[in-house]
Amino acid sequence: MTTLPRVTIWNEFVHERNNEQIGALYPEGIHGAIANHLRSQGFQVQTATLEQPEHGLTDEVLANTDVLLWWGHMAHAKVADEVVEKVYKRVVLDGMGLIPLHSAHFSKIFVKLMGSTCNLKWREIGEKERLWVVSPGHPIVAGIGDYIEVPHAEMYGEHFDIPQPDELVFVSWFQGGEVFRSGCCFYRGRGKIFYFRPGHETYPVFYNQGVLKVIENAAKWAAPAGGPAPNFGHFPKPIEEVTEWDGQIEIHHPQSSKA
């Protein structure tokens, strides 16, 4: 895309309203903190939250979204399956980008796209995290040094039960000794997905300039590429001239389900 992608930030927006300390840390919500940065960089941004009709992800909103950021933690099960299916189709069939953040590894949409449990180890004691760049030529790390340091973070540790990433961009080291694949790129159908680990709600991670720069870069990378839409189903007329074989046996084929 020659222009910046249109971004929608989805946040369940539960912790910030139910916990006074987290609300003070993110007075506009986690989605608000990220939106403020992206808008300052020229992005067109809208936000959506769990309690809105269709969780804020109406057909109109999704049709005007090039890249969807997703943050969730305690309310994964409350996300309607119908909304998940709409997002899934927008990614796989239409090429909308998806950036699941932190505990969105357990979101319904990420688990559906990965086809695995997406489980991991975790610990919450406020230890240091260093996100090491392991793919220095990747556009997601433009403007980033050798690593990003987060002074206080929730630990995620291997094994992370996901398919092998198509591209691995970051590996995290934690002060307690664990490591984690913390920046993972996947391709699903026409869509691009970047899972990015930082972002526990009890720490000011979404004010870290390195973290915000990666999210900004990832939104550009995940934007639709504009390639051809796939054509599925029965194509009775060949592209080139073909003489039909006299011995061809006619059988009944089930009608393919429509996307």
Side-chain angles (χ1 to χ4, degrees):
M1 300 181 70
T2 56
T3 58
L4 291 175
R6 301 164 299 174
V7 175
T8 297
I9 304 170
W10 191 88
N11 175 25
E12 64 184 30
F13 197 31
V14 174
H15 290 286
E16 302 96 318
R17 293 182 299 163
N18 293 345
N19 184 294
E20 187 175 328
Q21 291 174 292
I22 297 172
L25 189 59
Y26 292 107
E28 298 179 72
I30 286 172
H31 54 297
I34 299 171
N36 287 340
H37 173 76
L38 292 180
R39 287 176 181 138
S40 75
Q41 301 304 307
F43 287 82
Q44 178 183 329
V45 181
Q46 55 187 342
T47 61
T49 54
L50 179 71
E51 83 285 355
Q52 295 175 309
E54 297 183 68
H55 311 317
L57 299 176
T58 62
D59 291 343
E60 181 180 0
V61 168
L62 289 175
N64 288 283
T65 300
D66 297 313
V67 178
L68 176 63
L69 277 67
W70 193 286
W71 194 98
H73 185 192
M74 65 185 298
H76 298 311
K78 294 182 179 179
V79 177
D81 291 340
E82 303 80 46
V83 172
V84 174
E85 186 64 22
K86 288 199 304 181
V87 173
Y88 177 84
K89 288 178 178 179
R90 279 285 288 140
V91 173
V92 174
L93 299 180
D94 299 336
M96 182 183 73
L98 179 68
I99 303 175
L101 298 168
H102 190 61
S103 46
H105 69 90
F106 267 155
S107 63
K108 286 182 178 181
I109 183 58
F110 188 64
V111 171
K112 182 178 178 70
L113 285 160
M114 294 299 102
S116 59
T117 69
C118 301
N119 215 334
L120 45 79
K121 297 182 181 74
W122 66 276
R123 175 175 62 244
E124 189 178 354
I125 59 172
E127 61 202 279
K128 182 190 298 180
E129 175 185 10
R130 287 197 185 113
L131 295 99
W132 286 93
V133 173
V134 294
S135 185
H138 201 284
I140 286 178
V141 299
I144 302 296
D146 288 343
Y147 61 86
I148 298 169
E149 186 159 307
V150 178
H152 304 288
E154 178 186 23
M155 184 279 293
Y156 279 6
E158 295 288 344
H159 175 61
F160 187 17
D161 186 22
I162 54 173
Q164 186 70 18
D166 293 304
E167 297 167 337
L168 182 60
V169 182
F170 288 100
V171 171
S172 283
W173 165 88
F174 292 88
Q175 196 171 358
E178 288 84 1
V179 296
F180 189 76
R181 290 168 289 166
S182 51
C184 304
C185 297
F186 304 91
Y187 296 86
R188 294 291 184 271
R190 299 177 76 198
K192 289 175 281 187
I193 302 156
F194 178 61
Y195 171 76
F196 193 39
R197 195 217 76 83
H200 192 61
E201 65 275 5
T202 60
Y203 308 112
V205 177
F206 291 117
Y207 300 110
N208 182 298
Q209 290 304 302
V211 170
L212 291 171
K213 181 63 176 176
V214 170
I215 292 173
E216 175 190 336
N217 291 342
K220 297 174 185 177
W221 172 83
N231 294 303
F232 302 117
H234 183 213
F235 277 70
K237 186 177 180 180
I239 296 174
E240 308 293 343
E241 185 176 344
V242 178
T243 301
E244 186 172 346
W245 179 47
D246 291 339
Q248 179 66 40
I249 299 174
E250 296 292 335
I251 62 171
H252 172 72
H253 293 274
Q255 181 69 31
S256 298
S257 60
K258 294 183 179 180

